[in-house]
Amino acid sequence: MKAFTYEKPRSVQEAAAAAARQPGSRFIAGGTNLLDLMKLQIEAPTHLVDINGLGLDTVSATEEGGLRIGALVRNTDLAADPRVRRDYGVLSRALLAGASGQLRNKATTAGNLLQRTRCPYFYDTDTACNKRRPGSGCAAQGGFTRQHAVVGTSAACIATHPSDMAVAMRALDAQVETTDATGRQRVIPIADFHRLPGDTPEVETALRGGELITAVTLPAPIGGAQVYRKVRDRASYAFALVSVAAVVQKDGSGRIALGGVAHKPWRSAAGDAALPQGAQAAARQLLAGAQATDQNRFKLQLAERTIAAAVHDARSLA
C-alpha cells in the first residue's frame, strides 16, 4: 500500500471541498471495496477523506411518501428497516443476497452503488485493462469471459457491475442526491447514474470531481409483488451470474431489472412494456442486441429462465 494523507471533515460541503482540492482524493466510509483495491495498488489515492460521522446514516420519510436513505446507512440496517421490508421488499431481499453479515454491517448505501467491477483482469495488474489503465486494452476480449457482460458492452470493456442493491434500486426508480464543493446539490436518476463503458470504461458513474453522494431517495411505494432472484456459482455470497429484480402488479404489468449481465443494472422500457405478454417476451426485449461470447452465451438462456422464475414467484404472490 502506498502512502497517503488522511482527513476527517466536519460537514458535507467541507468533505466535497477537500476531495476537490486535492487531485487523487477518495472518499472512504465502510472501505469494504476501496481498502482491498488499495492493498492491490489498483487504487492508489493520495488523500483519503473520511465521511463517517457526517450524519448521513438515517432513513427518513419524504414529503412525497417515499424514503430518503442516507449515504452512510449500513446495508444491514437498510435491509432490516421495517418500512423497506414492508414497501420495498425487493431492495431488502437484494441486500441480504449481496454479502455476508460482516460485510453488510460495514458496507454503506453510497459505497454499494460505487463498487468497482470484480472482473479478474481488472484485479490482475499484470494484464491489460482499460478500466484500470485507460488505453491499455481489454484482456477479457478473447480471454476467459464466463462472468462477463452480454449486453451494453463495447470493444473497450465487457466487465459487469457487481452490486445487488443497485439492481433493486433500478427497478424502484431510485434517485441519487449529491453535493459538490460549492454546496450545490444535484439529483441523478439511478437510470443515469451508472454509465455504459463506451470508449471510456474508467468513467463509471455520472459523478463529477469532488461530488459526494449524500442520499438515495425512493419514490412512494409502487406496490405489487416484489422478488429478487440471484443465480451464482455457489450459494454462499458469490457475485451474480444473473440476478433479477421483479416488481409485478396484479394486472400483469411491472418492472424487470437485471444484474450480472451488463456494465450497469440493466432495465429497458421495452422490457417493461412486454412483461404483460409474458416473461419470455420481456426477456427478449431486455436482451435485444446481446453480444455474448462462446463462454458466456449460457447467460442469455439463464437470464430468460431466471426472469421466468422471478415473474412466476411474483405473480403467485400477487
Side-chain angles (χ1 to χ4, degrees):
M1 188 181 293
K2 295 185 178 180
F4 57 87
T5 52
Y6 172 87
E7 180 176 356
K8 193 165 186 177
R10 292 167 295 182
S11 70
V12 167
Q13 187 173 345
E14 187 179 324
R21 182 172 59 248
Q22 186 160 334
S25 295
R26 293 288 187 274
F27 296 115
I28 186 165
T32 57
N33 190 202
L34 178 60
L35 291 177
D36 286 342
L37 295 174
M38 290 173 66
K39 291 172 185 177
L40 295 169
Q41 297 191 10
I42 295 168
E43 290 268 11
T46 58
H47 187 62
L48 288 184
V49 181
D50 187 341
I51 60 173
N52 290 291
L54 294 184
L56 303 176
D57 57 353
T58 60
V59 181
S60 57
T62 66
E63 292 181 357
E64 296 75 22
L67 289 180
R68 187 174 189 272
I69 303 161
L72 296 177
V73 173
R74 307 293 161 165
N75 287 178
T76 294
D77 297 330
L78 184 57
D81 187 284
R83 295 162 294 184
V84 174
R85 295 179 63 187
R86 182 187 66 230
D87 297 326
Y88 308 97
V90 67
L91 176 57
S92 183
R93 292 182 176 95
L95 285 162
L96 292 173
S100 67
Q102 293 94 328
L103 285 173
R104 292 198 305 271
N105 288 344
K106 290 293 291 181
T108 63
T109 298
N112 196 310
L113 290 177
L114 294 173
Q115 288 182 81
R116 305 205 69 186
T117 184
R118 264 54 178 196
C119 171
Y121 298 103
F122 173 73
Y123 272 81
D124 183 354
T125 56
D126 290 328
T127 62
C129 174
N130 289 316
K131 185 180 289 293
R132 176 171 29 80
R133 192 169 67 251
S136 64
C138 176
Q141 300 281 10
F144 181 72
T145 57
R146 184 173 183 274
Q147 299 278 350
H148 287 73
V150 293
V151 285
T153 59
S154 74
C157 184
I158 57 173
T160 58
H161 191 272
S163 173
D164 290 283
M165 183 195 78
V167 180
M169 287 189 167
R170 180 68 182 90
L172 294 169
D173 285 331
Q175 294 186 314
V176 181
E177 297 181 359
T178 69
T179 298
D180 68 12
T182 67
R184 182 176 57 181
Q185 298 178 340
R186 191 160 68 111
V187 176
I188 308 168
I190 192 73
D192 301 326
F193 182 77
H194 296 103
R195 291 168 48 108
L196 291 178
D199 295 328
T200 55
E202 74 279 8
V203 183
E204 298 173 339
T205 71
L207 291 175
R208 298 164 184 159
E211 199 169 15
L212 173 66
I213 297 174
T214 54
V216 177
T217 57
L218 300 177
I222 58 176
Q226 302 184 15
V227 172
Y228 189 76
R229 272 199 171 238
K230 180 177 181 179
V231 181
R232 45 196 163 181
D233 281 328
R234 66 178 192 272
S236 177
Y237 308 119
F239 295 100
L241 290 169
V242 169
S243 64
V244 176
V247 181
V248 180
Q249 306 296 338
K250 288 184 178 180
D251 63 2
S253 64
R255 307 166 176 194
I256 298 288
L258 299 179
V261 299
H263 202 256
K264 61 185 289 185
W266 193 254
R267 181 181 163 197
S268 73
D272 291 350
L275 186 56
Q277 303 165 33
Q280 188 176 36
R284 279 198 302 268
Q285 293 297 328
L286 276 164
L287 299 170
Q291 293 184 310
T293 68
D294 289 342
Q295 294 174 17
N296 67 12
R297 196 171 308 280
F298 74 95
K299 281 193 176 189
L300 301 177
Q301 187 176 63
L302 182 61
E304 182 177 327
R305 291 179 175 180
T306 308
I307 291 169
V311 171
H312 176 271
D313 290 349
R315 286 179 173 161
S316 297
L317 292 171

